[in-house]
Amino acid sequence: MYEQIKVYEAGDRKPKPLDEDLRFGDVFTDHMFMMDYAEGVGWHDPRIVPYGPVSLPPAAACFHYGQTIFEGLKAYRGPDGRVLLFRPYDNARRLNASAERLCMPGVDEEMFVGAIEQLVALDQDWIPDAEGTSLYIRPVVYATEEHLALKPSSTYTLVILLSPVGPYYRRGIAPTKIYVETEQVRSSPGGVGAAKTGGNYARCLQAEFRAASQGYDQVLWLDGRERKYVEEVGAMNVFFRLGETVVTPPLCGTILPGITRDSVLHLLGDWGVEVEERKIGLSEVVDAHDAGLLLEAFGVGTAAVISPIGLLHWNGKDMEINEGRTGEVTARLYDALTGIQRGSAEDHFGWIAEVRLR
Ligand SMILES: *Cc1c(COP(=O)(O)O)cnc(C)c1O
């Protein structure tokens, strides 16, 4: 049905780091997947090759006009030795949505997930199994045409990398300190905020750097039109528990449609927690804090899973949340999601795809 993936195995295998030394995204496995696209030909030459540098002409379109998109998901080693992926078809669909927005070619969903499975199976010895560790999977598509006129590239490459990772924050799931950014914005209506594309991250670096140099872990982004409404926290979707209701901003094209966000909405609904997807003014959050009703806040995304927020800094004012401790709903979500992802809790939702190891 698809072109067979050719496998060129690495001669030398690299030493693997100890589970306790793992950070985020600084070690790569022995192999990577690659596939090329050309207009009129389509995707072709799928192959698994030793991990290493790629060669591109300096005129390649990706260096100049930002036609790059990526994805992020994880493989987990279950207690029974099975290898599990979490909702990989949702990543395939989102990659294709990002591709469409950036005038890039989509990838067949079955082909995409099949490539991930074959690569993960080959490098399965790299999957760590200590608590909080996993094998992070990073697909990226970039434009390769050697051409400086501004137009969509006619050629592209898809690469899939694997990286064994530890907890996203060195301190584990300790609550984070968040700086509310009131000057720069991450995205605006009509833009590319809903696409996982490189430019969305480059534009965030300066504000994130400034926040970090003042001792904050992440930036809370406000909307690009009025700088009034909450959008995302770092590269995570954000939730607030106001009294007994949990609220999160709606998907209106300016925020990334997170798969963790969607999973959290399903879990909360399943537990009978009242949830609202709606615009949330920062003033509403501040008022709730002052009234003692801002009970919990947390960011959600594949890398950190659930990241509690212990403090919000806004316009010179520090607002502590839940005395800087991880909240009850936050902790319950973390346990429930990581339990499903590692295969130690039942998967009622059909989110898990098991990797065939041989
Ligand atoms: C990837 C990402 C998220 C989280 O998406 P998940 O599918 O849950 O990993 C949220 N916001 C931004 C900006 C992202 O890039």
Side-chain angles (χ1 to χ4, degrees):
M1 193 162 64
Y2 311 106
E3 208 182 323
Q4 210 39 66
I5 299 175
K6 290 200 195 74
V7 181
Y8 304 90
E9 286 201 32
D12 296 325
R13 300 299 161 98
K14 295 185 277 193
K16 297 176 183 65
L18 298 174
D19 283 7
E20 61 266 31
D21 291 339
L22 292 173
R23 302 289 176 247
F24 190 87
D26 51 5
V27 178
F28 299 92
T29 66
D30 290 313
H31 298 94
M32 61 185 184
F33 173 86
M34 295 185 84
M35 180 163 70
D36 302 313
Y37 176 93
E39 222 167 76
V41 179
W43 288 105
H44 59 277
D45 197 14
R47 57 204 185 272
I48 289 174
V49 296
Y51 173 85
V54 294
S55 167
L56 283 174
C62 61
F63 295 128
H64 305 268
Y65 306 129
Q67 271 191 306
T68 70
I69 54 175
F70 69 95
E71 270 302 323
L73 67 161
K74 283 175 170 174
Y76 300 84
R77 171 83 66 186
D80 47 9
R82 291 188 306 153
V83 173
L84 309 174
L85 300 176
F86 186 69
R87 306 186 66 176
Y89 287 92
D90 292 274
N91 293 95
R93 281 190 281 275
R94 188 172 63 192
L95 181 80
N96 287 337
S98 299
E100 191 178 350
R101 181 64 182 83
L102 277 289
C103 281
M104 297 169 68
V107 182
D108 182 273
E109 289 171 19
E110 295 289 343
M111 171 75 211
F112 177 80
V113 176
I116 289 174
E117 289 185 350
Q118 195 171 333
L119 181 65
V120 169
L122 179 63
D123 278 349
Q124 59 176 287
D125 292 348
W126 284 88
I127 307 173
D129 52 17
E131 177 70 33
T133 65
S134 57
L135 186 68
Y136 184 76
I137 304 164
R138 166 57 62 88
V140 56
V141 184
Y142 51 86
T144 56
E145 189 178 350
E146 196 172 10
H147 200 297
L148 294 181
L150 181 56
K151 65 167 188 87
S153 175
S154 62
T155 57
Y156 298 87
T157 298
L158 162 67
V159 181
I160 303 175
L161 309 174
L162 303 178
S163 174
V165 297
Y168 191 73
Y169 294 106
R170 280 166 181 254
R171 292 175 287 127
I173 79 154
T176 50
K177 290 170 67 180
I178 304 296
Y179 184 90
V180 181
E181 174 61 38
T182 51
E183 183 196 324
Q184 298 191 351
V185 296
R186 159 182 191 278
S187 132
S188 43
V192 294
K196 237 173 154 65
T197 183
N200 280 340
Y201 305 85
R203 66 183 288 170
C204 292
L205 294 175
Q206 192 182 33
E208 284 167 357
F209 176 80
R210 284 199 303 231
S213 61
Q214 292 176 60
Y216 298 93
D217 300 296
Q218 291 284 355
V219 162
L220 180 77
W221 299 102
L222 301 178
D223 75 283
R225 207 197 310 248
E226 298 177 77
R227 295 179 184 70
K228 258 185 170 164
Y229 298 97
V230 171
E231 297 235 307
E232 298 202 60
V233 60
M236 289 183 285
N237 296 114
V238 67
F239 286 74
F240 298 93
R241 179 170 161 223
L242 306 176
E244 285 318 307
T245 307
V246 175
V247 296
T248 194
L251 301 179
C252 294
T254 56
I255 68 172
L256 210 286
I259 294 163
T260 318
R261 174 187 181 278
D262 185 72
S263 308
V264 163
L265 289 173
H266 276 91
L267 284 170
L268 292 172
D270 201 42
W271 297 341
V273 174
E274 203 177 313
V275 200
E276 292 171 0
E277 293 178 71
R278 60 166 173 84
K279 285 174 88 164
I280 305 156
L282 187 74
S283 60
E284 180 184 349
V285 175
V286 174
D287 290 349
H289 171 265
D290 293 348
L293 291 173
L294 176 56
L295 303 184
E296 299 181 46
F298 50 94
V300 314
T302 295
V305 190
I306 307 284
S307 174
I309 297 173
L311 181 140
L312 283 178
H313 179 91
W314 171 71
N315 272 350
K317 173 176 161 151
D318 271 342
M319 295 178 283
E320 205 180 44
I321 302 171
N322 194 35
E323 294 168 352
R325 289 179 289 116
T326 300
E328 172 198 335
V329 173
T330 311
R332 187 173 174 204
L333 282 167
Y334 181 85
D335 291 341
L337 257 185
T338 54
I340 296 171
Q341 289 168 337
R342 306 189 75 83
S344 59
E346 211 188 319
D347 171 28
H348 302 292
F349 299 97
W351 284 337
I352 293 301
E354 182 175 345
V355 176
R356 266 176 296 118
L357 292 176
R358 212 131 279 275

